[in-house]
Amino acid sequence: MKGWYVVCTHPNQERRAEENLRRQGFRPWVPSFARLRRHARRVERVRAPLFPGYLFVELDPVREPWSAINSTFGVKRLICRKDVPARLPEGFAEDLRASVESPDFIAPEDRLDAGDRVRITDGPFADAVGFISSIDPQQRVSLLLSLLGREVSVVVPRDLVVLAS
């Protein structure tokens, strides 16, 4: 009875576990999304796990040697109930895959709304903090900044804006 099961991985070892499971003949999947990474005043889009510390594996526990999963590099354990792998509900992984791979999928941490307090990461207004007034379909963000004692409206690309802490 083939289905999808959850594997708990060591911290930041999802890709390593995925690769090692694939080498053993299993069919792993790490749900991921594109997110913005900011470092040294640069912003780049990278793939990140949707569920850090977990991946999914498709297998038939009756016919496949699933106990080998627990001794795979990068894996902590296969999630089980009473020493039997705990199967995900039918259609869950397929529905998740369809939504994650959709071009409209936006990671929760990258989601911005009108009224959010944000900081500009680069450009002439770098480190300026303001409030979002709107976001257009071309991913340009209209901000209201307080500069030189008055409110100024500025439009910047979405990639240059992060939530202010």
Side-chain angles (χ1 to χ4, degrees), residues 2 8 14-15 17 19 21 23 38 40 42 48 51 66 82 90 94 102 110 112 117 123 127 136 148 153-154:
K2 189 183 268 191
C8 182
E14 298 88 2
R15 295 292 177 202
E19 180 180 325
L21 288 169
R23 284 183 188 158
R38 295 156 190 87
R42 289 185 326 169
F51 305 109
W66 60 266
K82 298 181 183 180
E90 193 70 37
E94 292 80 6
S102 162
D110 287 340
L112 296 175
R117 186 172 182 259
D127 296 325
D136 69 15
L148 303 171
S153 182
V154 176

Side-chain angles (χ1 to χ4, degrees), residues 65-151:
W66 60 266
S67 60
I69 291 173
N70 290 328
S71 59
T72 302
F73 286 114
V75 171
K76 274 188 187 176
R77 68 186 176 283
L78 177 65
I79 304 297
C80 294
R81 275 191 217 116
K82 298 181 183 180
D83 297 328
V84 176
R87 185 177 179 166
L88 287 172
E90 193 70 37
F92 176 82
E94 292 80 6
D95 292 345
L96 179 63
R97 182 170 280 183
S99 64
V100 168
E101 292 176 356
S102 162
D104 298 329
F105 182 77
I106 299 174
E109 66 187 41
D110 287 340
R111 210 176 291 265
L112 296 175
D113 292 313
D116 286 347
R117 186 172 182 259
V118 295
R119 181 176 56 83
I120 299 174
T121 60
D122 200 8
F125 297 108
D127 296 325
V129 176
F131 292 92
I132 296 177
S133 50
S134 67
I135 302 174
D136 69 15
Q138 289 78 32
Q139 294 297 300
R140 291 183 306 226
V141 180
S142 296
L143 300 172
L144 197 57
L145 301 177
S146 181
L147 296 172
L148 303 171
R150 64 184 200 133
E151 300 294 315

